[in-house]
Amino acid sequence: CDFDTQSAVPPVQLSWCGTDCIVGQWGPNETDQDMSLVLMVGPAGQHESFNYTGAVHLVTESDGLRILTNVQHDFLQRVPKRLIEIAEDGSQEAAAHLRRAWFDYQRKEGASVPRVQRLGAELPQAVGSCIEAAGHEFEAEYQRDLLRAAAYGKCFCDFFDAQKFVDTCRVLRVLNAVRDFTVGMPLTLHQYEQLGEEMLVEQLLSRHMHH
């Protein structure tokens, strides 16, 4: 689509964010040497702008865009489908109902078990969706909520292969560790899978983080 940036000067940098979103960066300039503007434009003209102090550098990743300054590191990406299905207000997806049932159980409300039972044949899918969503989430507390909801729903399944649950927990321990500011590698699940464990170990060794 055509989009009018309403700027008399071209952007300093243009980068892709995902496959259908473009991001431009303006500044700092002679009139305002302290501020940079980052403008994100979606496929239908949806747009959002962000202000940063100082110079900005954009780095395109396979699943999003990194915005780097001297003191800040942000990552823009399309919210993964599973997270939207579960977190969106009023969602009627099975995984959203399972998460609500888990919250009911925590509050010791009697509606929890009937809510899970009503999922019927959709329950294994709901469990799998919660596990998948946890893998995409950055916040550790929300990861735990999703994994606990999955574990709760798993108890009601006649059969559920727990290997995906175990693997996701293991991967999240790794991701949360390397995302910590002391390491400074905020990888997404997709980037981790593309990079591979061996390459990640090599990068950590190159930073002398082998202990």
Side-chain angles (χ1 to χ4, degrees):
C1 70
D2 292 332
F3 184 84
D4 183 5
T5 65
Q6 299 182 355
S7 173
V9 296
V12 176
Q13 189 177 359
L14 276 176
S15 299
W16 283 103
C17 179
T19 58
D20 59 0
C21 181
I22 195 77
V23 178
Q25 178 251 317
W26 284 260
N29 53 49
E30 293 181 359
T31 58
D32 192 347
Q33 298 183 3
D34 294 329
M35 298 298 297
S36 290
L37 173 71
V38 173
L39 176 66
M40 176 177 63
V41 181
Q46 319 96 307
H47 60 281
E48 189 72 42
S49 60
F50 311 91
N51 291 312
Y52 288 88
T53 301
V56 167
H57 185 64
L58 308 179
V59 180
T60 296
E61 294 280 5
S62 58
D63 59 344
L65 177 80
R66 297 194 186 280
I67 303 174
L68 306 175
T69 75
N70 288 335
V71 296
Q72 197 167 340
H73 181 166
D74 291 339
F75 183 69
L76 286 178
Q77 70 170 158
R78 181 186 289 274
V79 178
K81 178 183 176 182
R82 293 297 183 217
L83 286 172
I84 295 175
E85 290 176 350
I86 294 173
E88 192 171 34
D89 287 344
S91 172
Q92 296 303 307
E93 295 291 333
H97 283 293
L98 176 56
R99 180 168 171 258
R100 293 181 197 121
W102 162 245
F103 288 154
D104 288 343
Y105 175 77
Q106 285 183 300
R107 294 190 292 263
K108 303 186 185 302
E109 295 183 5
S112 176
V113 172
R115 188 190 287 271
V116 174
Q117 292 173 334
R118 283 197 297 270
L119 293 175
E122 293 184 287
L123 181 56
Q125 178 187 345
V127 173
S129 294
C130 284
I131 295 170
E132 184 180 341
H136 291 297
E137 177 57 44
F138 266 74
E139 294 292 335
E141 184 176 351
Y142 194 36
Q143 292 169 3
R144 287 192 290 269
D145 279 341
L146 290 165
L147 290 172
R148 286 167 180 163
Y152 179 61
K154 190 159 57 72
C155 296
F156 293 85
C157 294
D158 293 331
F159 174 78
F160 187 86
D161 185 359
Q163 192 58 50
K164 178 65 174 176
F165 183 91
V166 174
D167 291 344
T168 299
C169 290
R170 180 182 61 82
V171 168
L172 284 175
R173 281 196 292 269
V174 174
L175 287 175
N176 289 338
V178 299
R179 288 168 179 168
D180 187 83
F181 75 95
T182 58
V183 179
M185 295 178 66
L187 298 174
T188 64
L189 177 62
H190 178 72
Q191 292 164 13
Y192 169 78
E193 290 173 342
Q194 282 194 321
L195 186 64
E197 292 181 355
E198 290 187 8
M199 185 59 68
L200 176 58
V201 170
E202 287 186 17
Q203 290 194 10
L204 291 172
L205 288 174
S206 70
R207 298 178 180 210
H208 305 289
M209 294 179 176
H210 52 273
H211 54 278

